[in-house]
Amino acid sequence: QVHVVESGGGLVQAGGSMRLSCAASGSIFSINAMGWYRQAPGKQREFIAGIPSGGIINYADSVKGRFTISRDNAKNTVYLQMNSLKPVDTAVYYCKIVIAWGPRNEYDYWGQGTQVTVSS
């Protein structure tokens, strides 16, 4: 019914940059929010950045000043620009799309995940 596809991951050296993309398609009534999460091996999935509709953009302290989240409403797409990457940023990155089907009726849809590896 709803498809969420990520792209843009790969291998990059420390200090480099990378941009991730996440596009939603299918039966979409209204998108309430979009966000990015990551999960390193042996770690819990953690929140990175979020951009709600009509709300304030939020960033985790670990990426504040280095990562930038943005969206293209016409394409139902969210982006994550990552600069000054560090080896500690190595993880699988996931996007989340929050879709509203009516008042008090929301569902979360996740991308398939994309591996980002930062080498020394």
Side-chain angles (χ1 to χ4, degrees):
Q1 186 176 20
V2 176
H3 303 279
V4 181
V5 180
E6 299 181 37
S7 62
L11 176 65
V12 65
Q13 294 189 27
S17 298
M18 184 174 289
R19 190 176 80 152
L20 306 181
S21 300
C22 175
S25 63
S27 183
I28 300 174
F29 178 73
S30 180
I31 296 177
N32 279 355
M34 295 177 161
W36 289 95
Y37 297 73
R38 69 185 181 188
Q39 187 169 18
K43 301 283 188 177
Q44 296 291 105
R45 186 173 298 186
E46 64 174 336
F47 169 81
I48 297 300
I51 182 169
S53 298
I56 300 174
I57 295 174
N58 297 307
Y59 294 98
D61 289 340
S62 59
V63 305
K64 193 172 298 182
R66 299 188 297 121
F67 291 10
T68 303
I69 188 172
S70 62
R71 64 189 295 173
D72 185 333
N73 293 323
K75 296 181 178 180
N76 292 327
T77 299
V78 62
Y79 305 93
L80 185 67
Q81 178 66 46
M82 304 182 292
N83 298 326
S84 301
L85 283 162
K86 307 172 182 179
V88 73
D89 295 319
T90 296
V92 177
Y93 284 71
Y94 299 89
C95 65
K96 183 177 77 173
I97 313 295
V98 182
I99 296 178
W101 300 98
R104 302 174 62 186
N105 189 13
E106 297 181 345
Y107 292 88
D108 295 346
Y109 296 90
W110 292 87
Q112 80 279 10
T114 184
Q115 176 71 47
V116 174
T117 302
V118 184
S119 64
S120 302

